[in-house]
Amino acid sequence: MGLGRYKNGKFDLILSLRHNADATRIGQWERSFRRASEILFDATDGQMQFGKLYVANNSIGGTEADAWLLPDEGTSSSFVNALGIPGLHMNLKSDEKNKPFVVIHEFGHYGFGLYDEYIGPSGSAECTGTTSGGACIMEHGYWNGDQIADDGTLTPGPVNEFCVEDNHDPDSDTDQESIHGEPCWNTIHTNFPDVAIPDGLPGGPVPGGHEDVDWILLAEDPRFVLLLDKSGSMSAGNGISGVRFGADYWTQYLATSGDSLSIIAYNHGQDVILPLTSLDATTDLGSTLTAIGSITPGGTTNVGGALDSGLMQILSPGDRAATQVAILFSDGLHNTGTPPESVVDDLVENGVRVYTIGFGPYADQARLEQIADDTGGRFEFIDADPDSDAGQLEIQNYLIEISGEVRDGSGIVTMMPGLLPEPAASEFAAVKDVVRLKGSSKTTLAAVGKIPLAFRVRSTGFDHRAYIESGSDRATFVVSHKEGTAVNFFLTAPDGTLVNPQTDTDVTLVNPTYAPYAFYVVRKPASGFWTMRVTRGQATGAIPFKIFAFSENRDIAFGINGINRAYRVMDTIKLQSQVVFKTPLTALRSPIASIDLKPPGTKTLTVGRLGLLKGAQTVVLKERTVKTPVSGNASRPLARVANGVYENVLQFDEPGSYSVTLKMVNQGKATEAEAEAERKRDGEREPAREPAPMFIRTKRFQIHVGPLPEGKDVESGDQSPSGSGSSSITKQGTILKTSQISKASVGSGGFHVDIGLELRPSEESSG
């Protein structure tokens, strides 16, 4: 996820070995990164190096990682300017355990935001065109850089600098020049102002003072801490009910065997309800649940003290784990004790992500969003009454998303809200994804691409199909429904067999009596469409619910760039997305993205046959492409090459929290981006590799367009929400502008990208 950080001239990074590496392989990677740090130190004139390198083996830690260390050989790649951004990382092939130069080349993309200097919009390009005179790392390949033999022998290469004004791209044809319009050193200085650009041409003797890199192996147990705000302000808007409900739900239903869990209730002080405890099937949490249910509001609020106590619990075993998450339930109204901003740096340094859940009419949403943003988590504001059915569904569904997001290798395949109406209501069908055919008034039940998405809502039952790809280690199918209601949950395998957990040893059904959820866990699931069916378990009453399907496949990753901060009205929001199956994939046709704006008060689903969602708008995430020469083909000198990154820009003219659902689908035709580029450059007609298996991945997140409410200290007697004695809801937000920033790639098939965007207005002062 790119939880790396930069501080005082050192980059601390998280590395995830994507297989169970033996000691020899781990040692080879350690040797390569130590040498890479020395190259970086030399290239930056002694101003930068690697500091702490946290290493997760056996394919764990992939969600947090800045680099995936892959078991197979090939061409490495990286997201650009992605340090510290969730879901984005370098993809370093096995070769790089002997090629530290390539590690720094890819880090140039990832950490510094540099683009290549050996290629440009018109094809092959060059920066200096030589390997001397301060030649640039971003121009050259491994053969011109340091290499290490298996026996540890180092063969130094001639290239170990970044270019400056005096030697940068005289004919202005490289990607770095076309995108940034400046040499590499200037871009580095822009992103890291504390680093000085060298005078004249880079070079000279290797500077002294490089410090040894810390190589730290991470523990495998996922660690979670729940931080529960019980201050006096939580009585407003039933916030304390949301805190109790959320903590109870996570503890009972989402904490699993193998986790380590701690729970802290806080106001001006901290009450450790549960010290960090390793959970297994025999762990009795009865007294913990009783304590959660007994929490009552009172006192002032020390958010910083709670965060600090949570950090101490997570680190209490004396080491650091690959997955470390704090979930802060609060209105964010800090008014005493340790400032939360002063703890954030320690959280980041120790690799703890904070997910924040905001409640109440006086909530400091800006602070909660900032804490989540700074630590790599997410902020969600619960705008429904936390004591209501709608509010509790919001809370539990967000917690389910967090659980699926942070557990290594677990990807959300689908999430879908539904409703079982009163039995007396006439049967109806509702369609979520409806695509209007170009040039026709007809509509089609298009699923994703041409994958059928079975979706029917009736008074008696609801069916939804989820595609699980080949190679999945485990699939989980969940129904989350209103507490106090009863549903039946059935699962049918791709071959049409009704799943029976009593006879199938690879299936577990968790369906506690009176619990507001049920789920099936299927180990080594067959590939294909699995059908989830929800039926009513009670005679009367409407039953709202939401279903999820997760697939754990450590070869698949789905990253989104451009969402992890609050934006101002009219800011340009650049969304980028990439899917990895062992290595970044490219589509054979440009993907389609649809954005659905749901105005306040409208339902998530449109009721009625084949009705289009109100406020639907369409945005296309185009795959970035460059032109490259085709070998031996004078009649067609250039081919368009896609790099697997899909992007577009948005602008909003109203503040609000915009809920975005991004879905990417491989229809079984996508191939490795770099291999496809090589095929086109070589003029080959046959596909470069076997296509990646068909799969679907979905993410939901919020884009916060401010100013967000900063809250009021009601514990000191000020009862006016968000800055005045009255509040008003902002008018409906809109997408003011969408613009494509690259041309579509050629071909057909491949990825389909689907974005659903829902507007939730923020409350602002009418004054």
Side-chain angles (χ1 to χ4, degrees):
M1 136 174 213
L3 280 186
R5 69 192 304 261
Y6 172 75
K7 185 178 181 181
N8 298 329
K10 293 183 178 180
F11 291 95
D12 296 340
L13 304 177
I14 300 174
L15 315 177
S16 176
L17 284 146
R18 306 309 294 170
H19 63 117
N20 191 5
D22 59 23
T24 299
R25 177 60 61 89
I26 294 174
Q28 290 171 330
W29 277 113
E30 179 180 358
R31 186 173 59 196
S32 182
F33 269 88
R34 290 187 184 279
R35 180 56 187 165
S37 180
E38 294 171 356
I39 297 172
L40 178 62
F41 191 74
D42 184 9
T44 59
D45 292 345
Q47 299 178 83
M48 290 175 156
Q49 66 162 86
F50 294 151
K52 297 177 181 178
L53 298 177
Y54 298 96
V55 185
N57 193 17
N58 198 22
S59 296
I60 66 171
T63 309
E64 287 82 5
D66 297 284
W68 280 20
L69 311 185
L70 303 167
D72 54 324
E73 296 185 350
T75 303
S76 296
S77 62
S78 178
F79 276 94
V80 177
N81 204 23
L83 181 71
I85 297 176
L88 310 183
H89 53 259
M90 297 178 281
N91 298 284
L92 301 180
K93 292 299 186 76
S94 174
D95 313 40
E96 277 48 280
K97 68 184 185 297
N98 299 112
K99 300 171 184 175
F101 175 87
V102 179
V103 173
I104 294 304
H105 179 99
E106 296 304 330
F107 185 78
H109 295 307
Y110 178 79
F112 292 149
L114 305 177
Y115 285 86
D116 286 318
E117 297 264 32
Y118 62 84
I119 197 168
S122 298
S124 297
E126 72 292 316
C127 182
T128 67
T130 70
T131 59
S132 60
C136 185
I137 288 170
M138 303 311 294
E139 179 182 1
H140 291 277
Y142 71 89
W143 50 89
N144 288 323
D146 286 9
Q147 299 182 57
I148 303 174
D150 286 339
D151 64 3
T153 302
L154 173 66
T155 302
V159 179
N160 54 13
E161 303 288 349
F162 293 110
C163 60
V164 295
E165 290 284 0
D166 291 344
N167 69 344
H168 167 66
D169 192 16
D171 54 358
S172 302
D173 62 349
T174 68
D175 274 348
Q176 170 68 16
E177 176 63 26
S178 66
I179 295 171
H180 285 315
E182 61 185 9
C184 290
W185 253 113
N186 292 54
T187 301
I188 294 171
H189 177 70
T190 297
N191 290 326
F192 299 90
D194 61 317
V195 177
I197 300 174
D199 295 327
L201 289 175
V206 177
H210 179 270
E211 298 179 11
D212 200 22
V213 170
D214 291 328
W215 184 264
I216 303 166
L217 295 178
L218 297 174
E220 295 189 12
D221 61 312
R223 297 176 188 171
F224 299 92
V225 59
L226 309 183
L227 304 175
L228 316 180
D229 188 345
K230 63 173 183 176
S231 64
S233 61
M234 294 304 291
S235 61
N238 290 320
I240 197 66
S241 296
V243 170
R244 288 192 294 250
F245 176 82
D248 184 276
Y249 192 87
W250 184 280
T251 304
Q252 285 204 70
Y253 309 131
L254 297 178
T256 65
S257 181
D259 288 355
S260 292
L261 176 66
S262 175
I263 302 174
I264 299 172
Y266 72 94
N267 45 23
H268 45 276
Q270 295 85 44
D271 176 16
V272 180
I273 293 176
L274 180 70
L276 191 71
T277 300
S278 181
L279 306 181
D280 58 33
T282 65
T283 305
D284 183 1
L285 294 174
S287 60
T288 300
L289 294 170
T290 299
I292 291 171
S294 302
I295 293 174
T296 55
T300 52
T301 312
N302 184 358
V303 176
L307 291 170
D308 189 57
S309 294
L311 174 61
M312 294 303 102
Q313 287 294 323
I314 284 177
L315 298 180
S316 60
D319 58 3
R320 174 168 164 172
T323 299
Q324 301 181 145
V325 174
I327 304 176
L328 177 67
F329 300 81
S330 179
D331 58 14
L333 294 173
H334 173 83
N335 54 25
T336 190
T338 307
E341 295 76 17
S342 68
V343 185
V344 164
D345 192 62
D346 289 337
L347 291 164
V348 174
E349 183 170 357
N350 287 284
V352 178
R353 274 185 286 172
V354 182
Y355 287 78
T356 57
I357 305 179
F359 304 97
Y362 312 111
D364 191 340
Q365 296 184 44
R367 168 170 274 142
L368 293 172
E369 195 281 333
Q370 192 66 52
I371 292 171
D373 180 28
D374 288 346
T375 59
R378 281 200 287 136
F379 163 58
E380 187 91 0
F381 181 68
I382 307 301
D383 50 9
D385 181 349
D387 206 25
S388 69
D389 295 337
Q392 290 183 358
L393 276 174
E394 277 193 66
I395 295 166
Q396 69 189 53
N397 290 337
Y398 180 48
L399 292 176
I400 289 171
E401 290 175 26
I402 293 173
S403 180
E405 185 174 300
V406 302
R407 297 185 187 280
D408 198 67
S410 180
I412 299 176
V413 175
T414 187
M415 57 180 95
M416 179 76 71
L419 175 70
L420 295 176
E422 286 279 359
S426 59
E427 189 174 274
F428 64 89
V431 180
K432 179 177 185 291
D433 293 301
V434 181
V435 178
R436 186 173 296 279
L437 297 176
K438 185 175 181 181
S440 170
S441 61
K442 296 181 180 180
T443 54
T444 178
L445 293 182
V448 186
K450 294 184 178 179
I451 299 174
L453 177 64
F455 178 44
R456 296 288 187 273
V457 179
R458 296 182 174 87
S459 60
T460 55
F462 170 103
D463 294 331
H464 180 67
R465 298 204 298 171
Y467 187 85
I468 303 299
E469 74 280 354
S470 62
S472 174
D473 291 322
R474 185 170 73 167
T476 304
F477 304 90
V478 183
V479 60
S480 167
H481 56 94
K482 184 178 75 172
E483 193 168 33
T485 62
V487 302
N488 302 310
F489 190 37
F490 304 97
L491 182 66
T492 302
D495 63 2
T497 304
L498 185 67
V499 172
N500 185 348
Q502 294 181 339
T503 58
D504 191 337
T505 57
D506 288 328
V507 177
T508 300
L509 171 62
V510 180
N511 188 17
T513 305
Y514 305 120
Y517 83 106
F519 64 85
Y520 290 86
V521 178
V522 183
R523 290 166 288 280
K524 299 295 181 182
S527 62
F529 286 100
W530 292 72
T531 301
M532 294 174 280
R533 181 166 179 78
V534 181
T535 64
R536 59 175 48 256
Q538 61 190 53
T540 61
I543 306 174
F545 62 90
K546 192 169 186 177
I547 59 172
F548 301 82
F550 300 88
S551 174
E552 295 187 18
N553 189 324
R554 292 177 176 179
D555 289 331
I556 298 175
F558 178 12
I560 304 172
N561 193 356
I563 63 173
N564 272 66
R565 68 180 181 89
Y567 294 90
R568 298 168 298 180
V569 169
M570 298 300 295
D571 272 356
T572 296
I573 303 171
K574 183 177 180 180
L575 292 180
Q576 290 184 319
S577 184
Q578 186 178 62
V579 169
V580 171
F581 178 76
K582 299 182 180 180
T583 190
L585 296 177
T586 182
L588 300 180
R589 75 172 182 187
S590 58
I592 300 172
S594 64
I595 295 184
D596 298 327
L597 289 178
K598 284 92 172 178
T602 62
K603 295 181 179 179
T604 302
L605 304 177
T606 299
V607 177
R609 292 185 59 80
L610 305 180
L612 286 173
L613 290 171
K614 296 179 180 179
Q617 299 193 28
T618 298
V619 172
V620 177
L621 266 68
K622 293 290 187 179
E623 188 171 15
R624 186 192 297 144
T625 61
V626 296
K627 292 180 179 179
T628 187
V630 177
S631 301
N633 189 345
S635 63
R636 188 183 174 208
L638 296 177
R640 188 172 294 281
V641 174
N643 67 355
V645 175
Y646 298 86
E647 56 188 20
N648 210 321
V649 295
L650 307 175
Q651 286 181 320
F652 295 90
D653 66 347
E654 292 291 341
S657 293
Y658 295 81
S659 182
V660 181
T661 301
L662 175 61
K663 181 179 290 182
M664 295 194 77
V665 175
N666 172 32
Q667 294 175 299
K669 299 179 181 179
T671 58
E672 297 179 20
E674 182 60 30
E676 183 67 12
E678 290 176 359
R679 180 183 74 83
K680 288 189 176 182
R681 282 195 289 267
D682 294 341
E684 298 175 2
R685 294 182 178 274
E686 296 301 317
R689 300 282 195 279
E690 284 294 318
M694 177 175 166
F695 63 83
I696 304 172
R697 286 297 182 268
T698 302
K699 284 184 181 287
R700 193 191 68 82
F701 52 91
Q702 286 188 338
I703 294 178
H704 301 284
V705 180
L708 293 176
E710 295 184 358
K712 283 296 177 181
D713 183 6
V714 296
E715 289 159 2
S716 299
D718 185 348
Q719 296 293 318
S720 58
S722 302
S724 77
S726 62
S727 64
S728 62
I729 302 296
T730 60
K731 64 182 180 180
Q732 175 189 339
T734 59
I735 296 180
L736 183 67
K737 175 185 177 183
T738 64
S739 60
Q740 298 174 8
I741 55 179
S742 64
K743 294 182 179 179
S745 59
V746 296
S748 62
F751 283 126
H752 177 101
V753 182
D754 183 34
I755 295 185
L757 182 60
E758 177 182 356
L759 171 66
R760 290 180 179 174
S762 59
E763 291 192 1
E764 289 196 314
S765 167
S766 60

